[in-house]
Amino acid sequence: DTAQYKVSYYIDPSWFETSNTEEYLIDVSPDTVISDLNFGISPVQTKSDLAIDLTTSTHVCSMTSNLWLNIKNDGTETVNGVNVELWVNSASSVQSASSNGGVSGNYVSWTIDGDFFPHVYSNQDTTLLVEIMTPGVGAMGSILVDSARVSTVQQNILELQYSNNFSRADGEVMCSY
């Protein structure tokens, strides 16, 4: 059986085609090997778009819990240097922070030096871990709110979307008897 297929792509408005090829018409028969199908694309304008996602483990009375901060660059431009900040609920206490996080009370900060490549090209992301001590039985049922922010060290860089530069995690303190 032989068939003809049209292979094309649908491009995001932030990108444009550079190869002068928007589609291929291909005749396919059994054992057909298809090669050299190339679509060239490039960003319309290079932009950074740092994003942060804060997640937490379960908060059990008087036990340690984990906070994970996942940072990535959803833009098209490499960012040179990234600042990450975390504010931990005042009822908890910070026990440790990965990657040499600077701890000052319930505030933790990091500066990630060097190039932070766009995720679309490199799949580069970074996950930071903070271990906290959950408050005791007196806080049972309380909602702990932790928040985080990511920003660039690099000056004069266009940030595509600021709404994903902040994240928050809410967790209820649970106890068992």
Side-chain angles (χ1 to χ4, degrees):
D1 293 3
T2 301
Q4 187 174 60
Y5 293 92
K6 178 168 60 170
V7 178
S8 58
Y9 67 93
Y10 298 96
I11 194 162
D12 182 280
S14 304
W15 297 81
F16 69 94
E17 178 269 325
T18 61
S19 63
N20 296 323
T21 303
E22 295 180 5
E23 66 183 27
Y24 291 95
L25 295 177
I26 303 168
D27 291 316
V28 179
S29 58
D31 299 323
T32 299
V33 176
I34 301 170
S35 62
D36 297 322
L37 301 180
N38 298 305
F39 295 104
I41 59 172
S42 183
V44 171
Q45 182 179 11
T46 59
K47 301 171 187 161
S48 72
D49 185 18
L50 294 176
I52 189 165
D53 183 38
L54 173 62
T55 55
T56 181
S57 62
T58 305
H59 296 297
V60 179
C61 291
S62 303
M63 296 187 72
T64 57
S65 296
N66 291 324
L67 301 173
W68 295 276
L69 298 92
N70 181 264
I71 301 101
K72 66 180 176 179
N73 179 359
D74 285 333
T76 57
E77 182 173 341
T78 299
V79 175
N80 191 300
V82 174
N83 288 322
V84 179
E85 297 174 281
L86 171 68
W87 293 269
V88 176
N89 186 285
S90 60
S92 303
S93 59
V94 176
Q95 301 298 298
S96 64
S98 68
S99 302
N100 297 314
V103 178
S104 177
N106 281 29
Y107 173 77
V108 185
S109 63
W110 297 262
T111 298
I112 302 170
D113 292 322
D115 290 338
F116 205 81
F117 298 104
H119 189 264
V120 70
Y121 300 141
S122 66
N123 286 326
Q124 178 185 1
D125 66 346
T126 297
T127 300
L128 303 169
L129 169 66
V130 174
E131 187 176 88
I132 62 170
M133 178 59 70
T134 303
V137 69
M140 183 170 66
S142 298
I143 303 297
L144 302 181
V145 178
D146 305 300
S147 58
R149 176 176 75 175
V150 64
S151 59
T152 64
V153 172
Q154 187 176 345
Q155 299 296 317
N156 300 321
I157 190 166
L158 180 63
E159 176 72 19
L160 187 61
Q161 179 180 341
Y162 286 104
S163 62
N164 60 2
N165 293 107
F166 300 90
S167 185
R168 123 184 199 162
D170 302 355
E172 182 177 357
V173 177
M174 296 180 281
C175 304
S176 61
Y177 295 97

